[in-house]
Amino acid sequence: MKKLLSLKELKRCTFILHPNAKPAFNFFFNHTHLFCRSRLNTSTLQVLNQNQTFYGIRTQENEIALFSGYEFIGFDLANIDLTQHNVIIMPSLTDEEITLQAWIATLRVVLTSVPTEHLEKFRRALNDSVPSCCIRYLFEQKSITQKLWSEINAVSRDTLAKQNQKMNKTTEPQISIFERLGNKYAG
C-alpha cells in the first residue's frame, strides 16, 4: 500500500535517485524544452516547484530512492528541501516497474514540450533512449514511427520527412578560394 511520509519521517530520511530512473532523469534534463530554464530566477523556480509530489521506494531504513517527481524545472536533489514536498513511498516494485514508472513520469512532461521544428529529432531520441518495453506499453508498437508521431502531433508525415532530410543533409567542407586556386595550380 502507498504511504505518504510524515514530516518527521522526511526529516530522518536521505534521498537518492533510483538507478533504474537515471536514464529517464538524464533524458528529461538533456531534452530541449520550449523555454530556457536557466533564464528563470531562483524565487520563480521555488514558487513553480512548491508542493511537488515525489514517488520512491525504501531501499534502507532511512533511505528513499526516488523514481518520479524530479521532472520539473530546476530540480536539484542536492539542494531541495523535501520536507516542503510530498513523498509517497510505494510498496515493493520490481526494477522493470520502476523503469516504466520513471519513463511514464518523464514522458508525461516532455511530450508536451517538444518544439515543433524538432519533432523528428525528438522521435528519434525517444526510439533511441526509451526502452522498447516502455514504448510498447505506451504506444502499443515496438517503435514510434513517423506515421504514428505525425498523428500524435497533428503534423503531416511530410513535415517529419523534411525534418529528417535536414538532419541527414551532409554539409560539404567549405574550401577557401585560395585553397582551390592552390590545388588547381599545384601541379
Side-chain angles (χ1 to χ4, degrees), residues 52-88:
Q52 183 71 15
T53 300
F54 295 88
Y55 292 86
I57 62 167
R58 196 175 295 276
T59 54
Q60 296 176 14
E61 179 63 30
N62 290 326
E63 183 182 79
I64 307 297
L66 301 174
F67 59 83
S68 178
Y70 54 77
E71 53 287 321
F72 64 87
I73 314 164
F75 174 80
D76 180 2
L77 187 56
N79 295 310
I80 193 166
D81 179 5
L82 285 163
T83 63
Q84 302 300 308
H85 301 280
N86 301 307
V87 178
I88 297 174

Side-chain angles (χ1 to χ4, degrees), residues 12-186:
R12 283 194 332 241
C13 290
T14 58
F15 297 89
I16 62 168
L17 182 66
H18 194 285
N20 289 44
K22 190 112 174 103
F25 174 88
N26 289 337
F27 185 86
F28 178 81
F29 285 100
N30 292 325
H31 166 65
T32 302
H33 295 271
L34 289 172
F35 56 88
C36 181
R37 292 178 281 199
S38 64
R39 304 294 295 170
L40 297 172
N41 63 40
T42 304
S43 62
T44 302
L45 289 173
Q46 288 172 338
V47 170
L48 289 172
N49 299 328
Q50 287 178 341
N51 299 314
Q52 183 71 15
T53 300
F54 295 88
Y55 292 86
I57 62 167
R58 196 175 295 276
T59 54
Q60 296 176 14
E61 179 63 30
N62 290 326
E63 183 182 79
I64 307 297
L66 301 174
F67 59 83
S68 178
Y70 54 77
E71 53 287 321
F72 64 87
I73 314 164
F75 174 80
D76 180 2
L77 187 56
N79 295 310
I80 193 166
D81 179 5
L82 285 163
T83 63
Q84 302 300 308
H85 301 280
N86 301 307
V87 178
I88 297 174
I89 301 303
M90 302 297 287
S92 62
L93 292 176
T94 66
D95 286 347
E96 293 78 20
E97 289 169 323
I98 290 170
T99 298
L100 180 62
Q101 291 305 310
W103 278 106
I104 288 171
T106 296
L107 294 176
R108 180 182 305 120
V109 176
V110 297
L111 287 177
T112 61
S113 67
V114 182
T116 307
E117 64 273 11
H118 298 295
L119 285 172
E120 176 60 14
K121 182 179 178 182
F122 188 73
R123 181 189 72 83
R124 287 177 170 221
L126 287 172
N127 283 329
D128 290 343
S129 302
V130 180
S132 58
C133 62
C134 296
I135 289 177
R136 189 172 286 113
Y137 181 82
L138 294 168
F139 299 100
E140 299 174 349
Q141 295 186 190
K142 66 178 182 176
S143 66
I144 303 168
T145 63
Q146 279 188 341
K147 181 180 184 306
L148 174 64
W149 199 235
S150 67
E151 291 168 2
I152 291 171
N153 288 286
V155 297
S156 69
R157 193 190 158 285
D158 187 54
T159 298
L160 297 177
K162 286 178 183 174
Q163 289 180 6
N164 188 32
Q165 286 174 344
K166 272 186 182 177
M167 288 184 331
N168 290 335
K169 201 179 270 187
T170 56
T171 57
E172 290 184 24
Q174 296 297 317
I175 300 172
S176 74
I177 189 151
F178 301 110
E179 289 174 312
R180 281 189 264 164
L181 287 172
N183 290 341
K184 183 176 181 182
Y185 297 106

